[in-house]
Amino acid sequence: MFNFKKPRHKLHIADENDLRLSDLKPGEKGRIVEIGGSENFRHRLIEMGITRDAEICVDKYAPLRDPMELIVKGYHLSLRGMDAQKICVERIA
Amino acid sequence: MNFNIAIAGNPNCGKTTIFNALTGARQRVGNWPGVTVEKKSGQYNYSDIRFDVIDLPGTYSLAAFSAEETVVRHYLEQDEAQVVVNIIDASNLERNLFLTTQLIELGKPLVIVLNMMDMAHEKGLQIDADTLATLLGAPVVPVVGRTGEGMDLLKEKILRVSTEISMKSRFIDISYPRDIEIEIEKLTHLIKRDDESHKQSRWTSIKLLESDKQTRDEVRIHPDGADILKQAKNSIERIELIFKDTGRAIISHARYGFIQGALRECVVESLVDSVDYSRKIDRLITNRWLGLPIFGLFMWLMFKLTYDLGSIPMDWIDAGLISLMNFISALMPESMFASLLVDGVIGGVGAIAVFLPNIFILFFIIAVLEDSGYMARVAFIMDRVMHNIGLHGKAFIPMIMGFGCNVPAIMGTRILESRRDRILTVLINPFMSCSARLPVYVLVAGAFFPDNAATVIFSMYVLGIVAAIASGKLFSRTILKGMSKPFVLELPPYQRPTLRSLILHTWERGYLFIQKMGTVILVGSVIIWVLGYFPRDVQVERDYQKERMELVEDYDYQMINLGTKFNKSVQKDRQEYHSEMIAYESSSSYQELHHQFQQLQDDLQNKEALELYRLRQQEIGDITEQKWIGRVGKIFEPIVRPLGFTWRESVALITGFVAKEIVVSTYGVLFGVGEDIDEGSQGVISGLRSSGMTPLVALSFLVFTLLYTPCLATVAAIKRETGTWAYTIFSIAYSLGLAYLLAFGVTYFGGMFNWLS
């Protein structure tokens, strides 16, 4: 039988200097460049509409600074800062 | 003739509203086999045909990630459902259609329902339902679930899709990038040899390219399984080489691509000046500064309403039960059966029945919080705190509810999506000190720490919270490690809940409570009653009857003496000073003598009553010691002796398994005060003080009471929500162990430093 291992290729690995979703301030908008993290995490996000090139807007942070509220594809969702750090974005006006 | 209909859709899309609108109140709630995911089924008739409806759990996808997704996927892949009704939030089309693309590929006859059309209009969305139907290859019915608008049309469409062949054959394929289609083609070519339809083989191929584990397991048992899996492996490698990403990601992206294409053709977004009301409300409710105080206010209100409002019908039920007990006692001669009925059944089940109002009110409030959309905000606000213990923000609600009663709190863990979070929350919930433990604290702290009772009671609550947090951290790092799901939480728009759905939700959960807890409590109460009732003929060493008679004789003698003394004094007084007076009886000196005599007589009578009462206490204590309950206490006495407990504490703690309040009534029985006592009862307090218990042991007893398994009803709830005996037994063993360890710590270290001795 065949074993389906983890992906054999390497994705574009974001470097330290890339802008992360967690770097955006409330009211700022970004475009998704790359989603890191575990396979399950990536796919959960993609299924929820956080797809490559999707526009995402940081609405606000929770009273205790974490998690953050985002608007994507016309609906609101919430992510923890540690997870948002795995998402590379480019800032758009 | 009947058809099976399955309702599928995202969470928060109004699925349950449509389900309720279709089936009315004719519905049942159960669990899917093997998992604690609620299974709701109901039925309705339309043009003389019965439709059996299953409300599937809300999911964003069919990926089989979570328990819910697995349930949905498994159910839909079977042949049970003839038609799938896919509910879509029209105001949030793009993401909702993601699941639809998978349902289309799954190949079941499909009816698509555009729910919340009113909200879509408010948002300025014009949706061309006919074009959408053509693009998706399935009928599209716009409805407003909350008002019931469009429901007749929906029933008509479901009927037609169920009965007319022509309605079923309009399937379309979601098209993927060319390089993916080539690989799908290769795979379907191989799979088709297994005599599967186009639809099924395409679905299997796509799932294989998505590296779906469940599909791989299914393919493996096919005759050509090895070839197919080999091809799938090659295909995935090729796709990854070309696209520099996993097959699954590419396919998901392509699905969104298809959706965006479809939406371009059938949705016109007019730039109306739409107001996002939810966002406005959230400006206040999840505000940086006001969010927490508002949440605190809501929690306080929830508590206040649950316990204050609940106490009114609680008193009625209590009064009703007491008159029922009196009625039966009066009706039936004293017998074993009468005792079983009154003390065992009514007394035991009644102890739980009085909590019903609280529980129903609590469930109603939770239904309001859930249906309105506030529950998601609670998770948002409290996630930072709960994340510390490795939990989801929503887990805060059951924790707070635990202060009231652990049973609804544990049942409330259903609001959590991940099974691991549910189990973790269930396991630490019993440490939240429920209201049933308060009478025990009040009694024992009142007896031993009269000056610092409030401080002692408060520290019990704090200790409970500390135990919950510490255990949570421990569990999330050991037995429940690594099962955590990423926190991706939708914050749905606020909605005005409908009364109908609130009542339905409240009833569903409340009924489970009546059903399950009633049976467990019934059995438990009868057991305790049996232990306290048998054996009937108990030999007590001391001859209480004789002692009692001697006591009465002694007092009678004293009383006579007192009378003689009084008569003598009166005679003397009359002779000495008032011999000439005719109406001596009205003189002030006689009045005074008489008054004195009466006081002495009263004192004597009170003293007699008190001594008789003490004697009776001792007798009942001695009898109870001989009953099975006392023998059981004796058996466990050696185990609890290191904590400084006697057989009495051991009996109290054992009966406390049924419910914590029973600890108080057990002490009542042990000290012969009767069961009908409250926590302020002087008899028990004096009994406890004279039993030789030191304040230190009392404190240790309180610690034990706080930490060990709250009650049988909680055990039943834990079993129900975790679904396994393993976690249930673990919970009992862990809490007993922790209780013993900490109580021992208190007695041992306190004894070392001679504290509170």
Side-chain angles (χ1 to χ4, degrees), chain A residues 4 11 39-44 46-49 51-52 59-60 64 67 69 73-78 80, chain B residues 61 65 69 94-95 98 123 216 244-246 248 252-253 256 279 286 380 383-384 387 391 487 489 491:
Chain A
F4 284 76
L11 299 172
E39 279 300 287
N40 279 353
F41 173 69
R42 293 183 63 224
H43 288 124
R44 179 49 94 210
I46 293 170
E47 284 167 0
M48 297 289 283
T51 48
R52 199 179 303 131
D59 194 39
K60 63 156 116 37
L64 298 171
E69 182 174 343
K73 297 207 192 305
Y75 80 100
H76 293 243
L77 95 165
S78 170
R80 283 179 185 151
Chain B
S61 154
F65 253 148
E69 285 175 3
E94 194 172 339
R95 201 210 59 220
F98 186 79
K123 251 185 155 180
R216 274 198 326 246
K244 303 272 177 276
D245 207 339
T246 59
R248 220 172 124 190
S252 293
H253 276 111
Y256 269 111
R279 212 172 159 188
T286 57
F380 179 67
D383 184 66
R384 179 71 191 274
H387 190 197
L391 279 174
F487 178 87
L489 174 80
L491 297 166

Short mmCIF file of all heavy atoms in Angstrom, two decimals, chain A residues 4 11 39-44 46-49 51-52 59-60 64 67 69 73-78 80, chain B residues 61 65 69 94-95 98 123 216 244-246 248 252-253 256 279 286 380 383-384 387 391 487 489 491:
data_model
loop_
_atom_site.label_atom_id
_atom_site.label_comp_id
_atom_site.label_asym_id
_atom_site.label_seq_id
_atom_site.Cartn_x
_atom_site.Cartn_y
_atom_site.Cartn_z
N PHE A 4 0.56 8.18 1.97
CA PHE A 4 0.52 9.57 1.52
C PHE A 4 1.19 10.39 2.60
O PHE A 4 0.63 10.60 3.67
CB PHE A 4 -0.91 10.00 1.30
CG PHE A 4 -1.48 9.44 0.04
CD1 PHE A 4 -1.86 8.12 -0.04
CD2 PHE A 4 -1.59 10.26 -1.09
CE1 PHE A 4 -2.36 7.60 -1.22
CE2 PHE A 4 -2.09 9.73 -2.25
CZ PHE A 4 -2.48 8.40 -2.33
N LEU A 11 6.63 24.98 0.07
CA LEU A 11 5.92 26.17 -0.38
C LEU A 11 6.87 27.35 -0.27
O LEU A 11 7.92 27.26 0.35
CB LEU A 11 4.71 26.43 0.51
CG LEU A 11 3.66 25.33 0.52
CD1 LEU A 11 2.63 25.63 1.57
CD2 LEU A 11 3.02 25.21 -0.84
N GLU A 39 -1.23 21.83 7.85
CA GLU A 39 -2.14 21.56 6.74
C GLU A 39 -3.59 21.81 7.14
O GLU A 39 -4.33 22.46 6.44
CB GLU A 39 -1.97 20.10 6.28
CG GLU A 39 -0.79 19.89 5.37
CD GLU A 39 -0.89 20.73 4.10
OE1 GLU A 39 -1.71 20.39 3.24
OE2 GLU A 39 -0.15 21.73 4.00
N ASN A 40 -3.97 21.25 8.29
CA ASN A 40 -5.34 21.39 8.73
C ASN A 40 -5.72 22.85 8.94
O ASN A 40 -6.81 23.28 8.58
CB ASN A 40 -5.58 20.62 10.03
CG ASN A 40 -5.81 19.15 9.75
OD1 ASN A 40 -5.92 18.75 8.58
ND2 ASN A 40 -5.87 18.35 10.80
N PHE A 41 -4.82 23.59 9.52
CA PHE A 41 -5.07 25.00 9.76
C PHE A 41 -5.26 25.75 8.45
O PHE A 41 -6.21 26.50 8.26
CB PHE A 41 -3.90 25.59 10.56
CG PHE A 41 -3.96 27.08 10.73
CD1 PHE A 41 -4.93 27.65 11.55
CD2 PHE A 41 -3.06 27.91 10.08
CE1 PHE A 41 -4.99 29.02 11.71
CE2 PHE A 41 -3.12 29.29 10.23
CZ PHE A 41 -4.09 29.84 11.05
N ARG A 42 -4.35 25.51 7.51
CA ARG A 42 -4.43 26.19 6.21
C ARG A 42 -5.76 25.89 5.54
O ARG A 42 -6.43 26.77 5.01
CB ARG A 42 -3.31 25.69 5.29
CG ARG A 42 -1.93 26.10 5.75
CD ARG A 42 -0.90 25.64 4.73
NE ARG A 42 -1.11 26.28 3.44
CZ ARG A 42 -1.06 25.66 2.27
NH1 ARG A 42 -0.83 24.37 2.23
NH2 ARG A 42 -1.27 26.32 1.15
N HIS A 43 -6.13 24.61 5.56
CA HIS A 43 -7.34 24.25 4.85
C HIS A 43 -8.59 24.76 5.52
O HIS A 43 -9.54 25.14 4.87
CB HIS A 43 -7.40 22.73 4.65
CG HIS A 43 -6.41 22.28 3.64
ND1 HIS A 43 -5.44 21.34 3.90
CD2 HIS A 43 -6.20 22.70 2.37
CE1 HIS A 43 -4.68 21.20 2.82
NE2 HIS A 43 -5.12 22.00 1.89
N ARG A 44 -8.56 24.78 6.85
CA ARG A 44 -9.70 25.36 7.57
C ARG A 44 -9.88 26.81 7.14
O ARG A 44 -10.99 27.25 6.85
CB ARG A 44 -9.47 25.24 9.08
CG ARG A 44 -10.53 25.81 9.96
CD ARG A 44 -11.92 25.38 9.58
NE ARG A 44 -12.41 24.22 10.28
CZ ARG A 44 -13.29 23.36 9.75
NH1 ARG A 44 -13.73 23.53 8.53
NH2 ARG A 44 -13.72 22.36 10.43
N ILE A 46 -8.82 28.28 4.36
CA ILE A 46 -9.24 28.38 2.96
C ILE A 46 -10.73 28.11 2.84
O ILE A 46 -11.45 28.82 2.16
CB ILE A 46 -8.41 27.41 2.08
CG1 ILE A 46 -6.95 27.86 2.05
CG2 ILE A 46 -8.97 27.35 0.67
CD1 ILE A 46 -6.01 26.85 1.41
N GLU A 47 -11.18 27.08 3.57
CA GLU A 47 -12.60 26.77 3.53
C GLU A 47 -13.46 27.91 4.05
O GLU A 47 -14.59 28.10 3.63
CB GLU A 47 -12.88 25.51 4.36
CG GLU A 47 -12.48 24.24 3.66
CD GLU A 47 -12.46 23.04 4.57
OE1 GLU A 47 -12.78 23.19 5.77
OE2 GLU A 47 -12.13 21.97 4.08
N MET A 48 -12.92 28.64 5.01
CA MET A 48 -13.66 29.77 5.56
C MET A 48 -13.53 31.02 4.69
O MET A 48 -13.98 32.09 5.06
CB MET A 48 -13.17 30.09 6.98
CG MET A 48 -13.37 28.99 7.98
SD MET A 48 -15.08 28.74 8.44
CE MET A 48 -15.34 30.10 9.56
N GLY A 49 -12.87 30.88 3.57
CA GLY A 49 -12.81 32.00 2.62
C GLY A 49 -11.55 32.84 2.69
O GLY A 49 -11.44 33.84 1.99
N THR A 51 -8.78 32.88 1.26
CA THR A 51 -8.06 32.30 0.14
C THR A 51 -6.98 33.26 -0.33
O THR A 51 -7.00 34.45 0.00
CB THR A 51 -9.02 32.04 -1.02
OG1 THR A 51 -9.80 33.23 -1.23
CG2 THR A 51 -9.95 30.90 -0.72
N ARG A 52 -6.05 32.74 -1.08
CA ARG A 52 -5.00 33.59 -1.63
C ARG A 52 -5.66 34.71 -2.46
O ARG A 52 -6.66 34.46 -3.14
CB ARG A 52 -4.05 32.77 -2.50
CG ARG A 52 -2.71 33.45 -2.72
CD ARG A 52 -1.80 32.58 -3.55
NE ARG A 52 -1.60 31.27 -2.94
CZ ARG A 52 -1.74 30.13 -3.62
NH1 ARG A 52 -2.09 30.13 -4.89
NH2 ARG A 52 -1.52 28.98 -3.01
N ASP A 59 -11.01 44.53 11.62
CA ASP A 59 -12.04 45.41 12.15
C ASP A 59 -11.63 45.94 13.52
O ASP A 59 -11.65 47.13 13.77
CB ASP A 59 -13.37 44.65 12.24
CG ASP A 59 -14.53 45.60 12.46
OD1 ASP A 59 -14.53 46.68 11.85
OD2 ASP A 59 -15.43 45.26 13.25
N LYS A 60 -11.29 45.02 14.42
CA LYS A 60 -10.84 45.47 15.74
C LYS A 60 -10.18 44.33 16.50
O LYS A 60 -10.17 43.19 16.05
CB LYS A 60 -12.02 46.03 16.53
CG LYS A 60 -13.11 45.02 16.85
CD LYS A 60 -13.89 45.45 18.04
CE LYS A 60 -15.34 45.78 17.90
NZ LYS A 60 -16.20 45.07 17.05
N LEU A 64 -9.25 42.24 25.48
CA LEU A 64 -7.98 41.81 26.08
C LEU A 64 -6.88 41.69 25.02
O LEU A 64 -5.95 40.94 25.18
CB LEU A 64 -8.17 40.50 26.84
CG LEU A 64 -9.14 40.57 28.02
CD1 LEU A 64 -9.45 39.20 28.57
CD2 LEU A 64 -8.60 41.47 29.13
N PRO A 67 -8.53 37.66 20.81
CA PRO A 67 -8.21 37.58 19.38
C PRO A 67 -8.57 38.86 18.61
O PRO A 67 -8.89 39.87 19.23
CB PRO A 67 -9.11 36.43 18.93
CG PRO A 67 -10.28 36.48 19.85
CD PRO A 67 -9.76 36.96 21.16
N GLU A 69 -10.81 40.70 15.28
CA GLU A 69 -12.00 40.52 14.46
C GLU A 69 -11.67 40.97 13.04
O GLU A 69 -11.14 42.05 12.83
CB GLU A 69 -13.16 41.34 15.02
CG GLU A 69 -14.44 41.14 14.21
CD GLU A 69 -15.65 41.83 14.84
OE1 GLU A 69 -15.59 42.18 16.04
OE2 GLU A 69 -16.64 42.00 14.12
N LYS A 73 -14.71 38.40 2.72
CA LYS A 73 -15.83 37.97 1.89
C LYS A 73 -17.17 38.43 2.48
O LYS A 73 -18.16 37.69 2.47
CB LYS A 73 -15.84 36.45 1.71
CG LYS A 73 -14.61 35.94 0.98
CD LYS A 73 -14.91 34.65 0.25
CE LYS A 73 -13.67 33.94 -0.26
NZ LYS A 73 -12.80 34.72 -1.13
N GLY A 74 -17.18 39.61 3.04
CA GLY A 74 -18.44 40.19 3.51
C GLY A 74 -18.95 39.65 4.83
O GLY A 74 -20.06 39.95 5.22
N TYR A 75 -18.18 38.84 5.53
CA TYR A 75 -18.64 38.43 6.86
C TYR A 75 -17.53 38.60 7.89
O TYR A 75 -16.38 38.84 7.54
CB TYR A 75 -19.17 36.99 6.83
CG TYR A 75 -18.13 35.90 6.87
CD1 TYR A 75 -17.85 35.26 8.07
CD2 TYR A 75 -17.44 35.51 5.74
CE1 TYR A 75 -16.90 34.25 8.13
CE2 TYR A 75 -16.50 34.51 5.79
CZ TYR A 75 -16.23 33.88 6.99
OH TYR A 75 -15.29 32.89 7.05
N HIS A 76 -17.94 38.51 9.16
CA HIS A 76 -16.99 38.77 10.24
C HIS A 76 -16.49 37.45 10.82
O HIS A 76 -17.27 36.54 11.05
CB HIS A 76 -17.67 39.54 11.37
CG HIS A 76 -18.06 40.93 10.97
ND1 HIS A 76 -17.55 42.05 11.56
CD2 HIS A 76 -18.92 41.37 10.02
CE1 HIS A 76 -18.07 43.13 11.00
NE2 HIS A 76 -18.91 42.74 10.06
N LEU A 77 -15.20 37.37 11.05
CA LEU A 77 -14.70 36.21 11.77
C LEU A 77 -13.53 36.61 12.64
O LEU A 77 -13.00 37.71 12.53
CB LEU A 77 -14.36 35.04 10.84
CG LEU A 77 -12.95 34.83 10.34
CD1 LEU A 77 -12.84 33.44 9.77
CD2 LEU A 77 -12.63 35.86 9.28
N SER A 78 -13.19 35.70 13.52
CA SER A 78 -12.21 36.03 14.54
C SER A 78 -11.08 35.01 14.52
O SER A 78 -11.30 33.82 14.36
CB SER A 78 -12.93 36.03 15.89
OG SER A 78 -12.00 36.10 16.92
N ARG A 80 -7.03 34.18 16.41
CA ARG A 80 -6.07 34.57 17.43
C ARG A 80 -4.84 35.20 16.78
O ARG A 80 -4.48 34.83 15.65
CB ARG A 80 -5.63 33.35 18.23
CG ARG A 80 -6.67 32.91 19.23
CD ARG A 80 -6.21 31.69 19.98
NE ARG A 80 -7.29 31.22 20.85
CZ ARG A 80 -7.45 29.95 21.21
NH1 ARG A 80 -6.61 29.04 20.76
NH2 ARG A 80 -8.43 29.59 22.01
N SER B 61 -17.90 22.71 5.59
CA SER B 61 -17.30 21.91 4.53
C SER B 61 -17.61 20.44 4.78
O SER B 61 -18.16 20.08 5.81
CB SER B 61 -15.78 22.17 4.56
OG SER B 61 -15.07 21.10 4.04
N PHE B 65 -13.24 16.93 9.16
CA PHE B 65 -12.31 17.42 10.18
C PHE B 65 -12.85 17.13 11.56
O PHE B 65 -12.27 16.47 12.37
CB PHE B 65 -12.27 18.96 10.10
CG PHE B 65 -11.01 19.50 9.52
CD1 PHE B 65 -11.05 20.68 8.79
CD2 PHE B 65 -9.81 18.87 9.71
CE1 PHE B 65 -9.91 21.20 8.26
CE2 PHE B 65 -8.67 19.40 9.18
CZ PHE B 65 -8.72 20.57 8.44
N GLU B 69 -18.59 17.35 10.94
CA GLU B 69 -18.37 17.13 9.51
C GLU B 69 -18.39 15.66 9.17
O GLU B 69 -18.94 15.25 8.14
CB GLU B 69 -17.04 17.76 9.08
CG GLU B 69 -17.12 19.27 8.98
CD GLU B 69 -15.78 19.91 8.67
OE1 GLU B 69 -14.79 19.17 8.47
OE2 GLU B 69 -15.73 21.14 8.63
N GLU B 94 -21.03 34.02 -0.67
CA GLU B 94 -19.80 33.44 -1.18
C GLU B 94 -19.31 32.28 -0.33
O GLU B 94 -19.05 31.19 -0.83
CB GLU B 94 -18.72 34.53 -1.30
CG GLU B 94 -17.54 34.07 -2.13
CD GLU B 94 -16.56 35.20 -2.40
OE1 GLU B 94 -16.96 36.38 -2.30
OE2 GLU B 94 -15.39 34.89 -2.70
N ARG B 95 -19.23 32.53 0.99
CA ARG B 95 -18.71 31.47 1.84
C ARG B 95 -19.69 30.32 1.98
O ARG B 95 -19.32 29.16 2.06
CB ARG B 95 -18.33 32.01 3.22
CG ARG B 95 -17.36 31.09 3.93
CD ARG B 95 -17.52 31.15 5.42
NE ARG B 95 -18.86 30.78 5.80
CZ ARG B 95 -19.54 31.40 6.76
NH1 ARG B 95 -19.01 32.41 7.39
NH2 ARG B 95 -20.76 30.99 7.06
N PHE B 98 -19.59 27.56 -0.64
CA PHE B 98 -18.45 26.64 -0.64
C PHE B 98 -18.92 25.22 -0.32
O PHE B 98 -18.55 24.26 -0.99
CB PHE B 98 -17.41 27.10 0.39
CG PHE B 98 -16.15 26.27 0.35
CD1 PHE B 98 -15.19 26.48 -0.63
CD2 PHE B 98 -15.93 25.28 1.30
CE1 PHE B 98 -14.04 25.72 -0.67
CE2 PHE B 98 -14.78 24.51 1.26
CZ PHE B 98 -13.83 24.73 0.28
N LYS B 123 -28.70 44.64 2.76
CA LYS B 123 -27.29 44.81 2.41
C LYS B 123 -27.13 45.37 1.00
O LYS B 123 -26.01 45.62 0.56
CB LYS B 123 -26.57 43.45 2.48
CG LYS B 123 -25.62 43.32 3.66
CD LYS B 123 -24.88 42.01 3.55
CE LYS B 123 -23.56 42.03 4.26
NZ LYS B 123 -22.85 40.74 4.14
N ARG B 216 -9.69 7.45 0.86
CA ARG B 216 -8.59 6.52 0.62
C ARG B 216 -8.86 5.17 1.25
O ARG B 216 -8.62 4.12 0.65
CB ARG B 216 -7.28 7.10 1.16
CG ARG B 216 -6.62 8.00 0.16
CD ARG B 216 -5.16 8.23 0.46
NE ARG B 216 -4.82 8.27 1.86
CZ ARG B 216 -4.38 9.36 2.48
NH1 ARG B 216 -4.28 10.49 1.83
NH2 ARG B 216 -4.03 9.30 3.74
N LYS B 244 2.65 24.24 -7.06
CA LYS B 244 3.41 24.59 -5.85
C LYS B 244 2.50 24.70 -4.62
O LYS B 244 2.67 25.57 -3.77
CB LYS B 244 4.17 25.92 -6.02
CG LYS B 244 5.12 25.93 -7.19
CD LYS B 244 6.49 25.41 -6.77
CE LYS B 244 7.43 25.35 -7.94
NZ LYS B 244 7.28 24.10 -8.73
N ASP B 245 1.49 23.87 -4.57
CA ASP B 245 0.61 23.85 -3.40
C ASP B 245 -0.07 22.48 -3.35
O ASP B 245 0.02 21.72 -4.31
CB ASP B 245 -0.44 24.96 -3.50
CG ASP B 245 -0.90 25.41 -2.12
OD1 ASP B 245 -0.73 24.64 -1.15
OD2 ASP B 245 -1.42 26.53 -2.00
N THR B 246 -0.74 22.19 -2.25
CA THR B 246 -1.38 20.88 -2.13
C THR B 246 -2.62 20.80 -3.01
O THR B 246 -3.23 21.82 -3.33
CB THR B 246 -1.84 20.61 -0.68
OG1 THR B 246 -2.75 21.63 -0.32
CG2 THR B 246 -0.68 20.61 0.27
N ARG B 248 -5.43 19.79 -2.24
CA ARG B 248 -6.59 20.25 -1.52
C ARG B 248 -6.75 21.76 -1.58
O ARG B 248 -7.85 22.28 -1.80
CB ARG B 248 -6.45 19.83 -0.06
CG ARG B 248 -7.75 19.37 0.48
CD ARG B 248 -7.50 18.78 1.82
NE ARG B 248 -8.33 19.46 2.77
CZ ARG B 248 -8.21 19.31 4.07
NH1 ARG B 248 -7.26 18.55 4.56
NH2 ARG B 248 -9.02 19.93 4.86
N SER B 252 -9.80 23.73 -3.35
CA SER B 252 -10.60 24.69 -2.59
C SER B 252 -10.60 26.06 -3.26
O SER B 252 -11.62 26.72 -3.36
CB SER B 252 -10.08 24.83 -1.16
OG SER B 252 -10.28 23.63 -0.46
N HIS B 253 -9.42 26.48 -3.70
CA HIS B 253 -9.33 27.76 -4.39
C HIS B 253 -10.19 27.75 -5.65
O HIS B 253 -10.88 28.72 -5.96
CB HIS B 253 -7.87 28.09 -4.74
CG HIS B 253 -7.14 28.73 -3.61
ND1 HIS B 253 -6.13 28.11 -2.93
CD2 HIS B 253 -7.28 29.95 -3.04
CE1 HIS B 253 -5.67 28.91 -1.97
NE2 HIS B 253 -6.35 30.04 -2.02
N TYR B 256 -13.79 28.24 -4.87
CA TYR B 256 -14.10 29.66 -4.68
C TYR B 256 -14.11 30.41 -5.99
O TYR B 256 -14.89 31.34 -6.19
CB TYR B 256 -13.13 30.29 -3.67
CG TYR B 256 -13.64 30.23 -2.26
CD1 TYR B 256 -13.04 29.44 -1.30
CD2 TYR B 256 -14.77 30.97 -1.88
CE1 TYR B 256 -13.53 29.36 0.00
CE2 TYR B 256 -15.27 30.90 -0.60
CZ TYR B 256 -14.64 30.10 0.34
OH TYR B 256 -15.14 30.03 1.60
N ARG B 279 -22.50 45.50 13.07
CA ARG B 279 -21.21 46.13 13.32
C ARG B 279 -21.38 47.28 14.30
O ARG B 279 -20.53 47.52 15.15
CB ARG B 279 -20.66 46.62 11.99
CG ARG B 279 -19.16 46.57 11.97
CD ARG B 279 -18.65 46.87 10.60
NE ARG B 279 -17.28 47.31 10.67
CZ ARG B 279 -16.61 47.78 9.64
NH1 ARG B 279 -17.21 47.87 8.46
NH2 ARG B 279 -15.37 48.17 9.76
N THR B 286 -18.53 44.70 21.87
CA THR B 286 -17.16 44.16 21.97
C THR B 286 -16.15 45.29 22.01
O THR B 286 -14.99 45.11 21.65
CB THR B 286 -16.85 43.20 20.80
OG1 THR B 286 -17.04 43.91 19.57
CG2 THR B 286 -17.75 41.99 20.81
N PHE B 380 -15.38 35.60 21.74
CA PHE B 380 -14.44 36.61 21.26
C PHE B 380 -13.82 37.36 22.44
O PHE B 380 -12.62 37.56 22.51
CB PHE B 380 -15.20 37.57 20.33
CG PHE B 380 -14.37 38.67 19.76
CD1 PHE B 380 -13.36 38.41 18.86
CD2 PHE B 380 -14.63 39.99 20.11
CE1 PHE B 380 -12.60 39.43 18.32
CE2 PHE B 380 -13.88 41.02 19.57
CZ PHE B 380 -12.86 40.75 18.68
N ASP B 383 -11.82 34.75 25.02
CA ASP B 383 -10.88 33.75 24.51
C ASP B 383 -9.49 33.88 25.12
O ASP B 383 -8.85 32.90 25.44
CB ASP B 383 -10.77 33.84 22.99
CG ASP B 383 -9.86 32.75 22.45
OD1 ASP B 383 -10.25 31.58 22.57
OD2 ASP B 383 -8.77 33.07 21.96
N ARG B 384 -9.06 35.12 25.31
CA ARG B 384 -7.73 35.34 25.87
C ARG B 384 -7.59 34.66 27.22
O ARG B 384 -6.57 34.03 27.52
CB ARG B 384 -7.51 36.85 26.01
CG ARG B 384 -6.20 37.25 26.59
CD ARG B 384 -5.08 36.99 25.61
NE ARG B 384 -3.79 37.14 26.25
CZ ARG B 384 -3.15 38.29 26.39
NH1 ARG B 384 -3.69 39.40 25.91
NH2 ARG B 384 -1.99 38.35 26.98
N HIS B 387 -7.94 30.72 26.78
CA HIS B 387 -6.82 30.18 26.02
C HIS B 387 -5.70 29.74 26.96
O HIS B 387 -4.98 28.79 26.70
CB HIS B 387 -6.33 31.24 25.04
CG HIS B 387 -5.34 30.71 24.05
ND1 HIS B 387 -4.52 31.49 23.31
CD2 HIS B 387 -5.06 29.44 23.69
CE1 HIS B 387 -3.76 30.73 22.54
NE2 HIS B 387 -4.08 29.49 22.75
N LEU B 391 -8.31 26.36 26.36
CA LEU B 391 -9.70 26.23 25.95
C LEU B 391 -10.12 27.36 25.03
O LEU B 391 -9.47 28.39 24.92
CB LEU B 391 -10.61 26.21 27.17
CG LEU B 391 -10.74 24.87 27.89
CD1 LEU B 391 -11.54 25.03 29.16
CD2 LEU B 391 -11.40 23.84 26.98
N PHE B 487 -8.43 28.34 16.37
CA PHE B 487 -9.58 29.17 16.72
C PHE B 487 -9.97 29.99 15.49
O PHE B 487 -9.35 30.99 15.17
CB PHE B 487 -9.16 30.08 17.89
CG PHE B 487 -10.20 31.04 18.36
CD1 PHE B 487 -11.12 30.64 19.31
CD2 PHE B 487 -10.25 32.33 17.89
CE1 PHE B 487 -12.07 31.53 19.77
CE2 PHE B 487 -11.19 33.22 18.35
CZ PHE B 487 -12.11 32.82 19.29
N LEU B 489 -13.35 31.56 14.34
CA LEU B 489 -14.71 31.70 14.83
C LEU B 489 -15.47 32.73 14.02
O LEU B 489 -15.03 33.87 13.86
CB LEU B 489 -14.66 32.14 16.30
CG LEU B 489 -15.99 32.49 16.93
CD1 LEU B 489 -16.71 31.23 17.35
CD2 LEU B 489 -15.79 33.41 18.10
N LEU B 491 -18.30 35.43 13.51
CA LEU B 491 -19.12 36.32 14.33
C LEU B 491 -20.35 36.67 13.51
O LEU B 491 -20.34 37.62 12.74
CB LEU B 491 -18.34 37.57 14.72
CG LEU B 491 -17.09 37.32 15.59
CD1 LEU B 491 -16.21 38.55 15.64
CD2 LEU B 491 -17.49 36.90 16.98
#
